[in-house]
Amino acid sequence: MTRRAAVIGSPVAHSLSPVLHNAAFSALGLSDWTYSRIECEADGVPSLVAGLDPSWAGLSVTMPNKRAALAVATSSTPRAVQVGAANTLVPVADGWRADNTDVDGVLGALRAVCGFTSGTRAVLLGAGGTATAALVALASVGVRSVSLVVRSVSRAAEAETCASRLGLDLDLVTWDDADFAALAASSDVLVSTVPPAATEPIAVALAEAPTILDVIYHPWPTPLAYAVEKRGRTLATGLDMLLHQAFGQAEQFTGLPAPREAMRSALREATANLLPLPL
C-alpha cells in the first residue's frame, strides 16, 4: 500500500518539509511513500484529520495549525502538552498522537551549530508558538531563568503559562523598556523568534550573547546574522532548526532511524541560493 504524509498549514506552498521527507523516504528505500503539502486553516484541521484513511503515516503541522493539532489528538507527548501545541501527528490505534519536535529543532540547531549543551539563563524575543517550544527546549538543558521580551504584555499569556508549567523564572520585559545589550551579555543563550525588521536597530547589542538562534532564515542575512558574523561568531538559524525537527518526525512516520545525511544534503541543495549551508 502506498503510504502518505504531508505538511498542513496556511500558507504552506513555501514549505521545505517535502524536500526533507521525500529525501528521507528515498534514502530509506520507501519508494511507494509520498510527502506533499496541504493548504489548511486551523478551523479545518478536525475535518481534515477525520477524513484521512489508513494509508496516512503522519502529518507535519505548521502555522497556524499547531494548537488545533494538539486539540484534535487522542493522545499527546508530555512535551507537546508543555508547549501547548503540536507540529507532528501520527496515527495510533485510537486516533492520533501529537508531538512537538520543534523542541528537538531548537536544541539540535544550538548544539550542532554553536556547541550549546547547557546553561542557566536565557533571553527570548517574542512569545508565539516557536517561543514556547524554545522554552521547553531550554528548560530541558538546565535553563531556569528567562527574560521574555515582547512588544505587548498581552501577547505573552501562552508563554507565561508554558513557563509556569516548566517551573521557569520568567521575567517579562517590554520591548521599549529592554536594555538589550545588558540582557544579551548576561545570558547563556539568546533565541530570537521575531521578524528581521524588529532586530535591525538592536542587532549589535543582541550579538553580545554567547550563543544565538535566530529562527528567521529568509530574507538572508538577517540583521542579527550580520551582526553575529561581524563579531566573528556563528549563529544557528531557522533552517538548522527545520532540519533537526524533521529528523524526529521522519522517525515517527516511518519507524526507522532518520537518514540524517541524506536529509541534510537535500536541504543544502534546495537552499543553496538562500543562505549559508546548514550544519
Side-chain angles (χ1 to χ4, degrees):
M1 179 176 65
T2 297
R3 297 286 277 163
R4 294 186 286 176
V7 56
I8 63 171
S10 184
V12 78
H14 67 285
S15 174
L16 290 166
S17 291
V19 171
L20 289 161
H21 289 287
N22 283 318
F25 297 161
S26 178
L28 292 170
L30 303 175
S31 58
D32 55 348
W33 286 54
T34 64
Y35 187 102
S36 59
R37 304 177 182 91
I38 300 176
E39 185 79 17
C40 177
E41 296 282 356
D43 59 4
V45 170
S47 60
L48 185 151
V49 171
L52 298 180
D53 64 34
S55 69
W56 284 85
L59 295 172
S60 306
V61 185
T62 189
M63 296 304 292
N65 297 341
K66 294 184 180 182
R67 291 182 180 86
L70 182 64
V72 80
T74 52
S75 62
S76 305
T77 63
R79 64 184 180 180
V81 174
Q82 289 173 330
V83 174
N87 78 330
T88 308
L89 287 172
V90 178
V92 291
D94 63 343
W96 293 80
R97 183 185 71 244
D99 190 21
N100 196 310
T101 66
D102 284 337
V103 176
D104 296 333
V106 171
L107 289 181
L110 287 170
R111 286 171 176 159
V113 181
C114 306
F116 178 80
T117 57
S118 65
T120 59
R121 178 165 176 73
V123 175
L124 180 58
L125 308 184
T130 303
T132 52
L135 286 173
V136 174
L138 295 171
S140 73
V141 291
V143 169
R144 306 313 309 157
S145 175
V146 179
S147 293
L148 180 68
V149 187
V150 292
R151 289 288 186 187
S152 171
V153 172
S154 64
R155 297 181 181 180
E158 290 174 352
E160 288 182 295
T161 299
C162 178
S164 179
R165 291 190 196 108
L166 298 166
L168 290 174
D169 178 12
L170 189 71
D171 179 25
L172 194 58
V173 184
T174 61
W175 201 270
D176 292 337
D177 294 334
D179 182 342
F180 290 103
L183 287 171
S186 64
S187 71
D188 297 309
V189 58
L190 182 147
V191 178
S192 175
T193 68
V194 299
T199 60
E200 186 169 9
I202 55 172
V204 173
L206 297 179
E208 293 300 312
T211 303
I212 300 173
L213 166 62
D214 184 353
V215 306
I216 306 299
Y217 58 84
H218 185 68
W220 188 264
T222 64
L224 183 51
Y226 182 76
V228 171
E229 183 181 20
K230 293 288 284 185
R231 289 274 294 165
R233 297 175 178 170
T234 302
L235 91 164
T237 75
L239 205 57
D240 301 301
M241 181 179 167
L242 176 69
L243 175 65
H244 286 272
Q245 66 81 31
F247 293 151
Q249 284 188 337
E251 291 176 352
Q252 291 185 53
F253 294 163
T254 68
L256 299 169
R260 296 189 173 212
E261 192 51 48
M263 296 171 73
R264 182 179 288 108
S265 295
L267 187 62
R268 181 181 292 122
E269 181 178 350
T271 60
N273 296 323
L274 184 60
L275 76 161
L277 303 183
L279 299 181

